[in-house]
């Protein structure tokens, strides 16, 4: 039973920041450390404000701004990085900072194209560089990390995706555990990429997560599952309108990676307080809490957790359950999951002891 005192404790961002969290849906491209990015921009003599506070207004979605999908997307730029050192520096600092968000385990997704496009860097080298820097940062910060490679449907053809996939696969990098399909789901529906995902399924090397049902109806979620073999769905807010899909997700343990703040800013959901995450959780649909692009959103994962408590009345036990759902749906081996679940139980116990909840 949740006490009033516990509710107030969980609504305190300073407390919630220390709660151990599992995150399945966060883009490195939207998680940059603003100070480091500002330093890189100044070094590379980019046309950006020299004043840091003014600079932040150009790279972040304004907190008082009404939802605006085009404005949100305009914050993703690929011309910051002019050297491998730039990519390494922004990756290390951005990942290291995640310790301040209470990250216990994360499957961080990134696009080699994003960091390579401006200078046509070798995609294999950039992939190895990002993973090396991020692994070092996570080790220094004290949390667990694996990676998903993002393919953008409105920037890459299916043939280009297959070509990049071959390069990535040839690395045999054990910390890459999944493939993510992102981008404009309205203009580029999932069935356009069935050949690509059939190859992924055939190889049995990586599992798939697909952005679907964020700004489209639930039929795209069905397609992502049936034709693209998705084991998780990015966002999937339209699931709330499809009872048959809800039952299917429960039966087959296909997990929704939901993002309260992001969905409001992009306009995919009109009010944070009515976001479907809370209702889907109560229905038993496997849902998880994620940040998506916290630096661009001018927020963090902790903020989404506080909103989940405030708007959906989730208890500490509910939050733990959502995180266990995330761990059980992680794209890692059964042995790794079992070990992490044991470690996570100890981390939750320490949190309870620290805050007496």
């Amino acid at each position: 039973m949740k006490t009033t005192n516990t509710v107030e404790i969980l609504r305190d961002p300073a407390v919630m920041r220390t709660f151990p969290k599992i995150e399945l849906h966060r883009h490195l491209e939207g998680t940059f450390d603003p100070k480091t990015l500002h330093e890189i921009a100044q070094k590379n003599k980019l046309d950006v404000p020299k004043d840091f506070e003014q600079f932040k207004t150009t790279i972040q979605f304004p907190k008082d701004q009404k939802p605006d999908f085009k404005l949100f997307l305009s914050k993703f730029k690929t011309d910051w990085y002019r050297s491998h050192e730039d990519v390494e520096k922004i990756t290390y600092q951005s990942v290291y900072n995640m310790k301040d968000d209470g990250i216990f385990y994360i499957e961080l997704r990134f696009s080699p194209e994003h960091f390579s496009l401006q200078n046509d860097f070798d995609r294999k080298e950039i992939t190895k560089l990002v993973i090396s820097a991020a692994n070092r940062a996570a080790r220094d910060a004290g949390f667990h990390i694996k990676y998903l490679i993002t393919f953008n449907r409105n920037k890459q053809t299916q043939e280009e995706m297959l070509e990049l996939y071959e390069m990535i696969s040839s690395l045999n990098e054990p910390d890459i555990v999944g493939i993510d399909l992102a981008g404009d789901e309205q203009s580029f529906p999932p069935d356009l990429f069935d050949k690509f995902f059939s190859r992924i399924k055939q190889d049995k090397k990586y599992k798939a997560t697909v952005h679907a049902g964020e700004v489209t109806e639930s039929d795209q979620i069905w397609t992502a599952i049936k034709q693209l073999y998705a084991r998780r769905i990015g966002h999937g807010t339209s699931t709330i309108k499809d009872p048959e899909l809800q039952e299917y997700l429960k039966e087959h343990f296909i997990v929704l990676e939901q993002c309260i703040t992001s969905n409001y800013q992009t306009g995919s959901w009109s009010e944070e307080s009515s976001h479907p995450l809370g209702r889907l959780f109560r229905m038993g649909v496997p849902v998880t809490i994620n940040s998506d692009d916290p630096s661009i959103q001018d927020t963090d994962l902790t903020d989404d957790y506080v909103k989940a408590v405030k708007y959906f009345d989730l208890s500490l036990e509910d939050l733990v359950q959502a995180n266990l759902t995330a761990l059980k749906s992680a794209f890692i081996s059964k042995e790794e999951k079992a070990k992490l679940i044991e470690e996570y139980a100890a981390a939750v116990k320490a949190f309870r002891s620290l805050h007496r909840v």
Side-chain angles (χ1 to χ4, degrees), residues 77-105:
K77 297 180 180 179
T78 61
D79 61 346
W80 300 107
Y81 318 111
R82 303 302 169 87
S83 67
H84 282 201
E85 289 74 23
D86 289 346
V87 176
E88 181 177 21
K89 185 174 183 179
I90 195 69
T91 298
Y92 179 89
Q93 197 58 53
S94 301
V95 173
Y96 183 80
N97 289 352
M98 292 179 192
K99 68 181 178 58
D100 298 328
D101 225 358
I103 294 294
F104 174 85
Y105 171 82

Side-chain angles (χ1 to χ4, degrees), residues 2-18:
K2 201 166 41 167
T3 67
T4 302
N5 185 49
T6 302
V7 171
E8 292 307 312
I9 287 174
L10 294 178
R11 289 189 179 191
D12 182 349
V15 172
M16 188 59 80
R17 203 168 300 285
T18 66

Side-chain angles (χ1 to χ4, degrees), residues 61-202:
F61 193 92
K63 281 188 176 291
D64 57 353
Q65 172 72 37
K66 291 182 179 180
D68 189 328
F69 189 56
K70 288 186 178 180
L71 176 61
F72 187 90
L73 289 182
S74 73
K75 303 298 181 180
F76 290 89
K77 297 180 180 179
T78 61
D79 61 346
W80 300 107
Y81 318 111
R82 303 302 169 87
S83 67
H84 282 201
E85 289 74 23
D86 289 346
V87 176
E88 181 177 21
K89 185 174 183 179
I90 195 69
T91 298
Y92 179 89
Q93 197 58 53
S94 301
V95 173
Y96 183 80
N97 289 352
M98 292 179 192
K99 68 181 178 58
D100 298 328
D101 225 358
I103 294 294
F104 174 85
Y105 171 82
I106 184 169
E107 289 185 356
L108 181 65
R109 58 191 71 192
F110 71 94
S111 165
E113 284 292 301
H114 175 86
F115 296 100
S116 306
L117 195 60
Q118 179 70 23
N119 300 281
D120 195 25
F121 290 141
D122 183 287
R123 275 60 171 174
K124 289 171 71 173
E125 289 301 316
I126 288 298
T127 300
K128 290 191 293 184
L129 177 65
V130 167
I131 291 173
S132 175
N135 277 349
R136 185 161 48 88
R139 185 168 57 250
D140 292 348
F143 59 84
H144 304 279
I145 190 168
K146 296 291 183 183
Y147 305 92
L148 310 177
I149 300 299
T150 294
F151 291 78
N152 193 312
R153 56 184 120 195
N154 51 289
K155 293 183 178 179
Q156 298 166 283
T157 66
Q158 185 166 221
E159 289 68 31
E160 288 170 337
M161 289 182 179
L162 283 163
E163 184 179 353
L164 178 59
Y165 171 78
E166 292 294 341
M167 281 191 257
I168 300 301
S169 183
S170 70
L171 289 173
N172 292 314
E173 171 54 64
D175 289 331
I176 298 175
V177 295
I179 301 297
D180 166 44
L181 181 67
D184 182 358
E185 63 185 59
Q186 289 180 315
S187 303
F188 300 88
D191 55 281
L192 294 178
F193 305 95
D194 56 351
K195 181 181 176 182
F196 176 49
F197 280 88
S198 290
R199 176 59 188 276
I200 295 168
K201 179 177 174 57
Q202 176 187 326

